[in-house]
Amino acid sequence: MLNVLYAILVLGIMGAIFGALLAFAAKIFYVEQDPRIDEVRAALAGANCGGCGYAGCDAYAAAVVAGEAPPDKCGPGGKKTAEAVAAVMGLDAVAPVKYVAYVPCSGSCGTAKDFFEYEGPADCIAAMRFGNKGPKACQFSCIGLGNCVRACQFGAMSIVNGVAEVDREKCVACMACASACPKGIIQKVPYEQWVLVGCRSNDKGAQTRKVCDAGCIGCMKCQRECPHEAIKVVNNLAVIDYDKCTGCGHCAETCPRHIIHPQKIYVQE
């Protein structure tokens, strides 16, 4: 019995000594944190979505205070958060550029040809294990089994007729959907961009016609017709220069495949 008591006493004394040493070391090596980090962190939306390009809100707040990041990168917080962060940092308020995710694929059910009939779990990665490109014959297409939907924290993604679709009003451009997509087809585009190309295939026109009734065939009609030289065919795919595009929609009207889509733009608060 005495041996047990001695062991407990020794362990208690050792614990007290080590605790005192740790407390002393913490005091000696303590690095004072800039109080503005906590202020910036409190001003953020707190979604920890990573849309700012940092690991989370704490990392972004530290980067802002260190002068490594601008105050307007919190997508979920929007304009109000950008203004609050700028005020903490003593900076002029800036109007944040709003971005949204976009799925450049028009290969819906009945439009895109099937490579095989998939009967496995509703998971894009699982589907890619059969043929390495998914059930659809187009290797560039959206698989449409919802990995992006499950990754989105904001309810901005859904599967419509076999293709992922973004609700631009709900999207905060955190791009968690893009990280979850095994094909990496989801893009970040400016919210104010009025027209977008609904395809990402780099196959030649003849091959595209074989696998999808709505894929870009690189015919260059949009390039020839654009009055602002804002769209070019690069590697068999129409590509819009957002800096030149005025949103006139003429390319959408002239596209014989109807895969250049005008997007609905919501009124921002």
Side-chain angles (χ1 to χ4, degrees):
M1 184 65 180
L2 286 176
N3 289 338
V4 174
L5 292 175
Y6 284 142
I8 293 173
L9 180 61
V10 170
L11 287 174
I13 293 172
M14 290 178 64
I17 292 172
F18 285 127
L21 288 173
L22 287 172
F24 178 74
K27 186 173 182 180
I28 292 297
F29 296 106
Y30 174 73
V31 178
E32 186 174 353
Q33 178 175 284
D34 191 319
R36 294 178 300 173
I37 294 178
D38 290 335
E39 294 179 45
V40 171
R41 177 65 179 83
L44 301 178
N48 273 317
C49 59
C52 57
Y54 292 85
C57 295
D58 290 337
Y60 174 57
V64 169
V65 174
E68 299 171 355
D72 60 346
K73 292 298 183 182
C74 180
K79 182 179 179 181
K80 291 181 179 178
T81 293
E83 291 174 347
V85 173
V88 171
M89 298 302 299
L91 302 172
D92 292 332
V94 292
V97 177
K98 182 175 175 60
Y99 289 90
V100 291
Y102 176 64
V103 183
C105 180
S106 301
S108 59
C109 296
T111 299
K113 305 295 191 300
D114 288 334
F115 180 51
F116 62 88
E117 185 175 347
Y118 177 68
E119 296 181 349
D123 182 272
C124 298
I125 296 175
M128 284 189 68
R129 291 173 181 164
F130 299 88
N132 199 36
K133 61 182 179 180
K136 296 176 183 176
C138 175
Q139 62 179 320
F140 303 96
S141 66
C142 169
I143 297 174
L145 292 177
N147 288 40
C148 54
V149 176
R150 293 185 286 275
C152 180
Q153 301 179 46
F154 305 95
M157 299 290 298
S158 59
I159 302 298
V160 179
N161 200 20
V163 177
E165 187 173 287
V166 180
D167 184 329
R168 292 163 65 88
E169 188 175 24
K170 295 179 180 178
C171 181
V172 300
C174 69
M175 303 312 290
C177 55
S179 299
C181 175
K183 284 194 174 183
I185 72 170
I186 303 177
Q187 304 171 351
K188 180 188 285 189
V189 299
Y191 176 85
E192 298 293 342
Q193 179 59 30
W194 178 247
V195 289
L196 294 164
V197 178
C199 183
R200 61 182 294 272
S201 173
N202 294 127
D203 283 336
K204 292 183 178 180
Q207 175 60 25
T208 299
R209 288 180 184 275
K210 291 179 181 178
V211 298
C212 183
D213 293 333
C216 177
I217 56 175
C219 67
M220 303 184 73
K221 189 171 184 180
C222 57
Q223 178 175 317
R224 292 192 298 270
E225 294 284 341
C226 179
H228 307 286
E229 299 183 348
I231 188 165
K232 306 237 179 241
V233 173
V234 180
N235 197 16
N236 304 311
L237 177 66
V239 178
I240 296 174
D241 184 334
Y242 301 146
D243 292 330
K244 293 181 179 179
C245 181
T246 64
C248 68
H250 186 60
C251 55
E253 296 172 357
T254 59
C255 176
R257 303 283 280 182
H258 307 293
I259 51 92
I260 303 178
H261 308 299
Q263 305 294 308
K264 180 178 180 180
I265 296 181
Y266 298 90
V267 177
Q268 301 183 61
E269 296 181 0

